[in-house]
Amino acid sequence: MGKTYEGGVPLAEVVRSGFVEGVHRGSVVVLDAAGEPVAGAGDVTSPIFPRSSSKPMQAIGMLRAGLPLTDPADIALVAASHAGEEFHVERVTALLRDAGLTEEALHCPPDLPFGEAAREAVLRAGGGPARVLMNCSGKHAGMVRTCLAAGWPLDGYWRPEHPLQQCLTATIEEITGERAAAVGVDGCGAPVLAVSLTGLARAFLRLVGAEPGTVERTVADAMRAHPELVGGTQAEDTRLMRGVPGLLAKIGAEGVIAAAIPEVGAVALKIDDGAARARTPVLVSALARLDVRAPILTEYAEPPLLGGGLPVGAIRPLW
């Protein structure tokens, strides 16, 4: 694995009124069911921060360390970047309350909901930023519950040297098959590890291909059974998992997404400028190389651009 991400190639273009007004560059890898590369573009072997696409692997590490959750819905929420809708907040609050904790135990920063509708609902009700509303609060609730179960201190649970984070680092390195090239601070304050897009795709393929009853399969099955908890009512990974049978998908900040289907293959990609709008059309074009097709993919293939409230163009994949 290279030491520095070299950047990608043109993967999508922004077309407005028939005129190309912009191009999104990035990198993408497609693996077959055996984990072998069948297509790719850009730099897929150098490290990138997968951001929240790492959350399924972090959930696996927590369960291995003793996180005492058996309800698949709770496990899905631990692996989530939720939209802060009411049902998300209620379940995160319950995870904390069941352990005698409040949101003050969480290190993630106070925030408004990630989802636009949920954010507006909080503001209309006179509310403001709160830790439990932050999109990573499910992960952080899982982290503090894991510390309690393992007998680790809650203080500093987010620091890379803490036993929890050492455990999660070992888990991610095992599942991706790569040593972390760097350790950063994610938007929620927890560590994020740099691995390659190829390692990320292989990790997702491992999850969906694991034997029933394993922790890897438990997390994959929980996310696919409760996709609305992974993202939200309108989140792209939620809707993709609802619409494509067997698909496991998880978005990450800075234009990252990873997805896998058992006995079919996996995809991981990054849009270099971090634009979420280019993420799904490139994913659709990548899944087509695995002959994966569904009505929801057609919907995401060319997201529309609006002018005066009407469609006047689209984000079109170039790869």
Side-chain angles (χ1 to χ4, degrees), residues 1-317:
M1 185 170 64
K3 293 183 179 180
T4 304
Y5 177 62
E6 297 178 355
V9 299
L11 293 180
E13 62 182 5
V14 183
V15 182
R16 181 179 298 275
S17 303
F19 180 83
V20 177
E21 67 172 348
V23 174
H24 293 288
R25 302 173 67 90
S27 300
V28 55
V29 65
V30 182
L31 307 181
D32 64 17
E36 295 299 321
V38 295
D43 183 0
V44 301
T45 59
S46 297
I48 57 103
F49 282 139
R51 304 297 297 272
S52 286
S53 293
S54 298
K55 285 178 177 174
M57 293 178 280
Q58 291 172 312
I60 290 168
M62 292 183 227
L63 289 170
R64 288 179 177 177
L67 176 61
L69 299 181
T70 57
D71 188 334
D74 289 334
I75 295 171
L77 190 62
V78 170
S81 299
H82 66 73
E85 295 171 82
E86 185 175 355
F87 61 94
H88 295 127
V89 177
E90 289 177 351
R91 188 167 285 272
V92 173
T93 302
L95 283 177
L96 295 168
R97 184 177 60 245
D98 290 347
L101 300 171
T102 69
E103 67 177 301
E104 295 308 310
L106 305 180
H107 179 67
C108 57
D111 202 356
L112 289 169
F114 183 75
E116 182 178 352
R119 182 168 59 251
E120 291 177 353
V122 169
L123 294 174
R124 282 199 305 270
R131 297 183 192 277
V132 74
L133 298 177
M134 200 267 174
N135 73 92
C136 298
S137 64
K139 178 181 77 174
H140 280 258
M143 286 181 172
V144 296
R145 290 286 303 265
T146 301
C147 289
L148 290 177
W152 295 329
L154 294 186
D155 184 42
Y157 75 85
W158 59 90
R159 297 193 177 100
E161 64 272 16
H162 190 280
L164 170 68
Q165 301 303 335
Q166 291 291 302
C167 172
L168 301 189
T169 294
T171 301
I172 290 174
E173 291 183 335
E174 175 205 334
I175 295 175
T176 61
E178 297 179 357
R179 292 295 301 273
V183 180
V185 180
D186 213 334
C188 65
V192 59
L193 307 182
V195 297
S196 73
L197 287 170
T198 299
L200 180 62
R202 285 180 175 153
F204 272 64
L205 192 59
R206 175 171 172 176
L207 266 64
V208 299
E211 291 295 322
T214 61
V215 178
E216 293 91 335
R217 181 67 175 272
T218 295
V219 171
D221 286 350
M223 293 174 67
R224 291 180 293 187
H226 298 279
E228 72 285 351
L229 289 170
V230 175
T233 306
Q234 297 301 319
E236 62 197 86
D237 45 8
T238 294
R239 299 188 70 231
L240 288 167
M241 285 191 282
R242 283 177 177 164
V244 181
L247 181 74
L248 174 69
K250 183 70 190 74
I251 62 171
E254 295 301 319
V256 176
I257 190 167
I261 301 176
E263 300 182 0
V264 175
V267 173
L269 66 90
K270 174 179 173 57
I271 304 301
D272 288 352
D273 62 10
R277 66 181 183 176
R279 188 164 49 196
T280 46
V282 177
L283 177 68
V284 172
S285 69
L287 289 173
R289 286 161 168 78
L290 295 170
D291 200 29
V292 177
R293 306 179 192 281
I296 188 68
L297 297 180
T298 302
E299 178 181 334
Y300 276 117
E302 293 190 2
L305 287 178
L306 301 182
L310 299 174
V312 296
I315 314 296
R316 294 176 181 169

